[in-house]
Amino acid sequence: MDGSTATVLGTFIGALGGLSGGWLTVLGQGRQQRAEHARWRDEVRRDAYTTCLSASKQLSAAWWKMADILADDSSTPEQRQAGFVRAHDAWTEFSGAAAAVAVVGPRSVADAADTFRQALYEMDMIVLAWYEAVRAPSHDRVEDDLNARFVSAATAKRQPDKNFQMAARAALNTET
């Protein structure tokens, strides 16, 4: 082997080694970026899920307080209005939190959150109807029926709540 062949062969081996090292670096960086993205995604999802659950508990508490006010014949219009405003604000918080879950996904959790939101919407509509009935000048004890419907809706929301939590745990892989 003459000097020029050895030089070409050496250059080729060096270039091949450089390309291999560069390729391994690129693969390693890609793997690291994917892992970092997965951690970031899981953190965003965890925050959205916990915010949604917390907002749902605040909403439920606001509705139960509102139900107590509405069921109390001695409550004042001001107390009922203040309770309504608190419940409405809690609904707004929950609705926004459920929308955030729909954005961060995955679809299974977004679907479970939507079903949960629908169950809470049913409660919201009952409380709103109850509030309007109490405000009416001649309400004729429709509160008993609405109270029963409210309790039934509160019971019915338990399974969608549980399903949302199970879907969130599965998405975050926290079952293990």
Side-chain angles (χ1 to χ4, degrees), residues 70-169:
L70 293 172
D72 182 358
D73 289 334
S74 66
S75 66
T76 66
E78 292 79 20
Q79 289 171 317
R80 292 189 294 270
Q81 177 64 28
F84 175 76
V85 168
R86 280 192 301 275
H88 178 73
D89 290 347
W91 172 257
T92 301
E93 288 294 318
F94 170 74
S95 184
V101 169
V103 170
V104 301
R107 182 176 305 277
S108 60
V109 179
D111 290 346
D114 187 55
T115 301
F116 185 33
R117 186 196 60 74
Q118 186 62 40
L120 291 174
Y121 178 77
E122 295 299 323
M123 289 179 68
D124 189 58
M125 291 294 98
I126 293 167
V127 172
L128 179 60
W130 192 357
Y131 175 66
E132 292 298 329
V134 170
R135 289 179 60 199
S138 62
H139 66 282
D140 53 347
R141 300 300 303 160
V142 295
E143 295 93 15
D144 293 338
D145 175 54
L146 290 166
N147 189 15
R149 287 177 50 207
F150 174 76
V151 171
S152 177
T155 301
K157 74 136 175 105
R158 289 182 186 151
Q159 192 60 50
D161 182 358
K162 186 176 182 178
N163 292 346
F164 171 68
Q165 291 179 47
M166 290 179 354
R169 285 193 309 269

Side-chain angles (χ1 to χ4, degrees), residues 29-57:
Q29 287 176 344
R31 207 171 294 144
Q32 181 180 353
Q33 287 175 344
R34 283 189 299 277
E36 287 175 12
H37 177 74
R39 277 192 297 278
W40 169 82
R41 182 201 60 219
D42 287 350
E43 172 109 6
V44 168
R45 285 178 174 173
R46 189 176 300 105
D47 288 347
Y49 302 165
T50 57
T51 299
C52 186
L53 287 169
S54 177
S56 75
K57 302 308 178 201

